[in-house]
Amino acid sequence: MRILLMGGTWFLGRAIAEAALARTWGVTTFNRGRSGVDVPGVEAVHGDRTVQDDLLKLAQRGAWDAVIDTSSSELPPRDVRLATTTLAGHARRWVHLSTVSVYEGWPHESLTEDSPLLRCPVNADSSFGYTGEDGSPTKYGFQKAGGERAVTEAFGDEAVFLRPGVILGPGEYVGRLPWWLERAQRGGRMLAPAPAEQRIQPVDVRDVAAFAVHQAAGTDGGAFNVTHPDGIAFGDFLTECLRTTGSDGAPVWVDQAVLAKHHVKQWTEMPLWRTHAGVWAVDAQRAVEAGLRCRPITDTVRDTWKWWSEDGRPVDHPRRAEHGIAAEKETRILACL
């Protein structure tokens, strides 16, 4: 088995490269060589996927049994289309990392893979789409939906779409779980979003990688919601963060109305917290039936802390600065309770 991995140097891309190499597959990675170091054992090709000459040179390294694309998250559909049309004759299958944000109803409604998608043309540039006043739909979701259409146009029934919600685990560059772990380590009274019983569905990066590799070797196309089928209660999640870091911290569970009164931003200042009814109501049964296996989220917490405390920081990324409430603001809110 021979695959082409678009990306491959950090977080999910790196985990996929390692998973494929563990199967003794031949792995070609294609990236600009700016954001990280290629995994030992891959055939590393450096270039810009938005430049057709670079893609044409890459195509000469083919053919591949499958392409796994982890590097299109910031690209408009027309750039995804450029890659898929250029490489269509050099690979049998395309596994595309997408997002639950492509659904019209996310995050307000419970979702399956049959739920309606946002509409975006395959030739759209980065200006297409909008973000609603309440944060949904998102321009990002429109763009990713258009990217899916571009893949389908080129690969038809051999197009596979993986739609995660939140991916956590060792190497995480966004900083959601690392922020909670660092906050837990500081101890004291911790601001926490009630109710503690609310279940969340983040999935481990290594489990997403294993499923992506499994799908690359598959024969059926289609879409899969890649979310944790069991999830974990927010209270149990924070308990594990405290236990893992050896902290004596104490969560103070605060109603969403109080958090809103103090202008606490969902999803960013309070990572993994969002009040919309459907944000953690994404059905993953189709993926489970197709081979997705998810480890307990408590294992993800422990392994992420081990990586974070021993191996230092991941590749710098601007989104990390968005996550986590400032200590001064948290203290002010707690003082009012």
Side-chain angles (χ1 to χ4, degrees):
M1 184 82 178
R2 189 165 185 251
I3 67 167
L4 168 62
L5 177 55
M6 307 290 278
T9 61
W10 59 344
F11 199 38
L12 179 57
R14 191 172 190 85
I16 291 173
E18 292 170 348
L21 289 170
R23 293 193 178 201
T24 69
W25 289 2
V27 180
T28 302
T29 57
F30 183 66
N31 54 68
R32 294 176 298 177
R34 300 176 184 174
S35 301
V37 179
D38 285 286
V39 176
V42 305
E43 176 193 21
V45 180
H46 291 161
D48 189 333
R49 63 176 294 167
T50 67
V51 177
Q52 188 164 32
D53 284 348
D54 287 0
L55 290 169
L56 290 171
K57 291 176 183 176
L58 171 65
Q60 295 173 7
R61 304 289 189 107
W64 297 276
D65 297 291
V67 177
I68 304 178
D69 187 3
T70 67
S71 68
S72 66
S73 62
E74 306 298 329
L75 296 178
R78 68 178 184 184
D79 286 339
V80 176
R81 190 186 195 192
L82 177 63
T84 57
T85 55
T86 304
L87 297 172
H90 304 273
R92 174 183 64 86
R93 189 168 179 80
W94 190 286
V95 179
H96 196 71
L97 270 295
S98 187
T99 170
V100 294
S101 297
V102 298
Y103 292 111
E104 285 185 0
W106 193 85
H108 301 281
E109 304 169 4
S110 300
L111 299 170
T112 71
E113 290 86 352
D114 298 322
S115 300
L117 304 183
L118 296 169
R119 288 174 287 278
C120 176
V122 295
N123 60 348
D125 63 19
S126 59
S127 67
F128 189 90
Y130 64 93
T131 297
E133 291 185 3
D134 70 341
S136 63
T138 63
K139 189 174 183 179
Y140 172 71
F142 280 104
Q143 295 274 315
K144 292 294 283 185
E148 286 197 10
R149 290 187 63 191
V151 177
T152 299
E153 181 185 77
F155 282 83
D157 292 340
E158 292 289 351
V160 180
F161 303 106
L162 308 187
R163 297 172 181 158
V166 171
I167 303 175
L168 304 177
E172 184 201 336
Y173 59 84
V174 175
R176 295 184 178 100
L177 179 49
W179 184 85
W180 276 115
L181 286 164
E182 288 194 328
R183 176 62 192 90
Q185 185 188 40
R186 290 204 312 270
R189 298 171 73 218
M190 293 173 53
L191 197 63
E197 298 78 22
Q198 171 65 54
R199 298 194 75 79
I200 57 177
Q201 292 179 281
V203 64
D204 192 288
V205 62
R206 295 161 293 183
D207 298 331
V208 181
F211 188 60
V213 168
H214 179 69
Q215 286 302 311
T219 57
D220 296 326
F224 299 95
N225 293 332
V226 186
T227 57
H228 202 293
D230 301 319
I232 188 172
F234 215 119
D236 293 338
F237 168 76
L238 290 191
T239 295
E240 188 59 39
C241 288
L242 292 164
R243 181 185 297 118
T244 295
T245 58
S247 173
D248 62 355
V252 178
W253 296 96
V254 180
D255 185 79
Q256 64 185 46
V258 176
L259 294 175
K261 177 183 176 182
H262 289 278
H263 307 289
V264 176
K265 296 177 182 177
Q266 298 183 37
W267 210 240
T268 52
E269 282 191 307
M270 196 64 59
L272 305 179
W273 170 59
R274 198 163 183 176
T275 59
H276 301 80
V279 66
W280 300 117
V282 181
D283 185 358
Q285 186 58 34
R286 183 180 294 180
V288 171
E289 292 173 355
L292 175 66
R293 298 293 178 266
C294 290
R295 71 199 68 204
I297 295 172
T298 51
D299 291 358
T300 304
V301 172
R302 289 194 295 270
D303 292 348
T304 300
W305 179 245
K306 184 176 187 297
W307 159 74
W308 188 253
S309 57
E310 293 180 358
D311 297 339
R313 303 298 185 259
V315 176
D316 286 335
H317 194 281
R319 290 181 64 190
R320 193 184 316 152
E322 302 173 357
H323 291 88
I325 189 169
E328 298 80 6
K329 183 174 181 177
E330 180 187 27
T331 300
R332 287 198 305 270
I333 296 171
L334 289 170
C336 296
L337 301 178

